[in-house]
Amino acid sequence: MATLHIFPENDPGTAERVTDPEQIAEVLAGHGVRYGTHPAADAAAHPAAGDVLEAHRPLVNRLCEEGGYRFVDVARLHPDPGDPDWTGKAGAARRKFLTEHRHEEDEVRFFTAGHGCFYLRLGGRVYAVVCERGDLLSVPAGVRHWFDMGSVPDFCAIRFFREEDGWVGDFTGDPLGERIPTLDELLEAAVV
Ligand SMILES: [Fe+2]
């Protein structure tokens, strides 16, 4: 289940925290952002992408029908002790969407494992949604946002697109994200 942290843009040190899924959905719906939870299928530790899709086929088909999505794939990254280049690859993957950008279509993700944080800029605030297994989030087209998979990326998410290049980002160059706590920091704060 997700945790929502809300930061005023002009005071990133102050955060409001919401953990109740229904309340998170309500807060985000007020800004046109869809959030919900769905049962994630049990599977092997790191199933193949095709198996992830098959295991969630009814949900995937329903979401595609409802949202008019024509393309579906699986984004994933897990620690790989056997790969000497893993740290470099993980860092490169993390930096790809760590700065503020927006897309021409909704960014729709269903997390089947691990976690990642979407930061959405809405009405003078930053809504940091730490998504986990079972969370569905749709970032509306045009909404400024960034995504942090953390310093040790470990997640699996199904992605939904209307166009094949729907994932392409338009980067704004706004450095606001540098002043907002990272996923690592949010997770540490949650433990304290
Ligand atoms: Fe994005």
Side-chain angles (χ1 to χ4, degrees), residues 97 101 103 107 145:
F97 292 107
H101 62 277
H103 304 281
E107 180 165 349
H145 67 279

Side-chain angles (χ1 to χ4, degrees), residues 97 101-103 107 109 118 139 143 145-147 167-169:
F97 292 107
H101 62 277
R102 54 200 162 195
H103 304 281
E107 180 165 349
R109 303 287 182 268
F118 279 95
V139 182
V143 167
H145 67 279
W146 62 96
F147 177 70
W167 57 272
V168 174

